[in-house]
Amino acid sequence: MQRRRFLGLTAAGAATAALAPALTACGSDGGSGSKTLRVVAADYGDKAANSSQKYWDSLARAFEAKNKGVKVEATVLSWTEVDKKVAEMVASGKAPDIAQIGAYADFAASGKLYSADQLLTIPTQADIIASIARAGEVARVQYGLPFVSSTRMLFYNKTHFAKAGITKAPESWDELQAAAKKLQAAGVKIPYGLPLGPEEAPAETLLWMLSGGGGYTDHDGTYTINSEDNVATFNWLRDELVGKGLTGSGDPARTNRQDVFDAFCNGQVGMLNGHPTLMKQAEAKGIKYGLAPLPGKAGKAKSTMGVADWIMAFKAGGHREEAGLFLDFVYSTKNVLNLTGQYDLLPVTSSASEKMQADSNKAHLKPFLEQLDNAVYYPVDKTSWAKVSKALKEKIGSVVAKSGDPASVLGEIQREADATELAGAGK
């Protein structure tokens, strides 16, 4: 889920000011002797009508009905601001009791979080898919609880493909470029949507790195941001896709994921990398789309990106027992499926995954589910990842500009990553 995120969310942003008072007294007790859990969560909706605020409010009321001594106050913020807001709250000594955001490791390393075994019952812990749960560990102790997961695939507009005479989805970079040129000639405004703006630049970056045989780290977990493969990938992207006008007239460095998703749903984009939730958005607008594996440098990419968003409980409020009760409730099969079913996300528990696999109404998610075993995740177990992700959001878009220098920019981010790692090791 790692940021970025599955959806670019704007609905919650407008509500932030109205919700601000709830963000200033996290962890306090409610009236009549009850304990109040303050929850800050990210929004998976793309408009007010399907905001995650409704999910959390409903979940809170159902939990309160079964746990009379505990109240839950949930504040939902857009993905563009929720990580920053939680970091600010923690820094000011007003950490929420529970946060559902994109990264956890820096909070865990500084001793601010409860571990999973301090919160969850054994059955709940055992139900979380092991391969995803391991990504929540720091020094072999799990602090980050996976909330939802997803993988990415290439989406393409079938109508545009037919009009442009493209008979199959591209499997290599050369085929991707050739398809984009045909789409451009057919009058498609954005042949390939390239969101390298601040909302979720690390995701598109990783997808391209993987397609070129690289990645953020090697098998030992060492950063390889400025590897030869990665530099070559962005040189090609700069010269052969962006440089030839195949990503539209906008600046990729200022283009957010939801911008591209919206354009795809409005029929303006030929191809883009997307996650399951885009299916529902596209169908709502009558877009006929196809799905394909990530194109690679010389053929289908060997892997795709997997995303898990995280939920964690802070020690500051002293509400370990109440937080544990609530999180057990969150991970019940019914509640997991309520959330994932609404937004076409993938569950992180075995029980919910099995039910989804058996549900004929969820057959459209199987291509994404089948990629989970081969997915590569952000290095969220590294305490440096939050700063590295921030640097990527600020700088990576510049590498595809006409005068962009991938080797220089990736080298700069690599040096920042190495310095952050070294500083953390010295603590």
Side-chain angles (χ1 to χ4, degrees):
M1 144 252 211
Q2 307 244 16
R3 283 313 268 102
R4 97 24 345 52
R5 294 337 8 136
F6 303 143
L7 279 175
L9 307 147
T10 57
T16 303
L19 293 168
L23 294 175
T24 61
C26 294
S28 64
D29 291 344
S32 304
S34 64
K35 297 289 183 67
T36 299
L37 287 177
R38 314 289 182 176
V39 178
V40 178
D43 195 345
Y44 291 93
D46 60 340
K47 52 186 177 293
N50 68 352
S51 170
S52 298
Q53 186 71 55
K54 295 180 180 180
Y55 170 80
W56 285 104
D57 287 346
S58 176
L59 196 69
R61 302 297 82 81
F63 174 77
E64 290 169 355
K66 295 184 177 182
N67 298 271
K68 298 299 184 183
V70 187
K71 293 180 65 65
V72 177
E73 294 183 3
T75 298
V76 172
L77 303 174
S78 74
W79 273 114
T80 57
E81 61 182 336
V82 67
D83 283 358
K84 179 182 178 182
K85 179 64 68 174
V86 170
E88 290 173 350
M89 293 166 67
V90 173
S92 66
K94 298 176 181 178
D97 294 297
I98 293 172
Q100 184 265 299
I101 51 177
Y104 65 86
D106 48 347
F107 299 130
S110 58
K112 291 180 169 60
L113 302 180
Y114 290 116
S115 63
D117 59 6
Q118 290 177 307
L119 296 164
L120 303 178
T121 61
I122 292 175
T124 298
Q125 280 189 271
D127 195 29
I128 296 176
I129 297 171
S131 60
I132 307 177
R134 282 194 292 270
E137 296 179 356
V138 171
R140 299 186 180 181
V141 177
Q142 185 182 1
Y143 295 95
L145 307 176
F147 184 62
V148 288
S149 63
S150 180
T151 58
R152 302 295 170 94
M153 299 189 76
L154 181 75
F155 282 68
Y156 59 93
N157 185 307
K158 286 185 174 182
T159 302
H160 290 330
F161 266 46
K163 181 180 179 181
I166 305 168
T167 58
K168 68 181 185 70
E171 296 183 357
S172 68
W173 288 355
D174 286 345
E175 291 180 2
L176 180 72
Q177 185 197 59
K181 286 181 176 179
K182 289 182 178 179
L183 290 165
Q184 185 183 53
V188 176
K189 183 177 180 180
I190 306 172
Y192 179 86
L194 184 66
L196 291 177
E199 180 192 334
E200 205 189 28
E204 189 73 12
T205 298
L206 179 55
L207 286 164
W208 277 97
M209 286 179 171
L210 292 173
S211 74
Y216 285 131
T217 62
D218 60 20
H219 293 299
D220 296 322
T222 300
Y223 280 118
T224 55
I225 295 168
N226 66 338
S227 69
E228 291 184 7
D229 283 335
N230 291 341
V231 171
T233 292
F234 282 97
N235 279 329
W236 185 90
L237 188 58
R238 177 197 62 198
D239 297 337
E240 303 300 329
L241 211 61
V242 179
K244 295 186 183 301
L246 300 176
T247 58
S249 60
D251 179 1
R254 296 178 179 274
T255 303
N256 284 328
R257 182 202 40 208
Q258 193 60 45
D259 298 333
V260 176
F261 278 19
D262 289 343
F264 183 79
C265 294
N266 289 327
Q268 299 174 327
V269 177
M271 301 175 285
L272 77 168
N273 292 321
H275 51 66
T277 308
L278 180 57
M279 293 188 290
K280 184 173 291 187
Q281 295 181 34
E283 289 164 4
K285 292 295 187 71
I287 300 297
K288 295 179 180 179
Y289 63 87
L291 299 172
L294 188 69
K297 187 174 183 179
K300 293 179 183 178
K302 294 180 179 179
S303 58
T304 188
M305 182 181 75
V307 176
D309 290 331
W310 302 93
I311 194 166
M312 62 213 71
F314 287 87
K315 295 178 178 179
H319 292 160
R320 181 183 66 82
E321 182 178 352
E322 293 79 14
L325 282 171
F326 183 64
L327 289 170
D328 268 326
F329 187 71
V330 167
Y331 281 104
S332 69
T333 302
K334 175 183 176 181
N335 289 329
V336 170
L337 289 174
N338 280 346
L339 177 72
T340 56
Q342 181 177 351
Y343 298 108
D344 273 348
L345 299 172
L346 307 183
V348 297
T349 61
S350 297
S351 60
S353 293
E354 290 168 4
K355 282 188 174 293
M356 181 175 282
Q357 286 275 14
D359 186 352
S360 60
N361 293 323
K362 296 298 180 183
H364 59 292
L365 291 174
K366 288 186 178 180
F368 295 92
L369 282 166
E370 290 168 355
Q371 293 191 127
L372 277 175
D373 289 341
N374 216 23
V376 175
Y377 292 83
Y378 291 142
V380 291
D381 59 320
K382 301 170 80 67
T383 58
S384 57
W385 174 244
K387 290 185 178 179
V388 173
S389 178
K390 182 175 182 291
L392 286 161
K393 291 177 181 180
E394 294 172 347
K395 300 174 182 179
I396 196 64
S398 68
V399 304
V400 297
K402 186 175 182 180
S403 58
D405 186 347
S408 176
V409 174
L410 292 175
E412 182 180 351
I413 298 173
Q414 176 76 41
R415 289 190 294 275
E416 290 182 29
D418 290 340
T420 305
E421 282 284 280
L422 185 62
K427 290 181 180 178

